[in-house]
Amino acid sequence: MESRNTTDGAAAARRARFGRLPERVRHEDMVEERAATPHDPTRYAHDPEGSWRSFACLAADLGL
């Protein structure tokens, strides 16, 4: 009979701890929207002096 009381006590403790599901989390609380990078107009400006660095060319790589 004592083992039955121990089992019932353990079952009651489990039920008290895990007896119900946790509260629902709203979708708005899980999602954060922000810009990946701030807008930088100079990033897309044309730079004729530095434009040779922005492309790969086999002839340039070989020094021809």
Side-chain angles (χ1 to χ4, degrees):
M1 181 75 85
E2 189 174 323
S3 65
R4 173 115 176 146
N5 289 339
T6 305
T7 305
D8 291 341
R14 263 194 316 277
R15 207 172 304 112
R17 183 173 179 188
F18 303 110
R20 61 188 171 99
L21 294 174
E23 297 296 322
R24 287 177 91 53
V25 178
R26 296 182 320 161
H27 181 62
E28 293 81 21
D29 296 337
M30 293 187 290
V31 177
E32 177 183 355
E33 293 183 12
R34 58 182 168 154
T37 57
H39 180 65
D40 183 15
T42 59
R43 179 178 180 188
Y44 302 107
H46 179 68
D47 179 18
E49 295 296 320
S51 65
W52 63 272
R53 289 179 270 148
S54 65
F55 67 92
C57 177
L58 181 60
D61 291 341
L62 295 175
L64 300 176

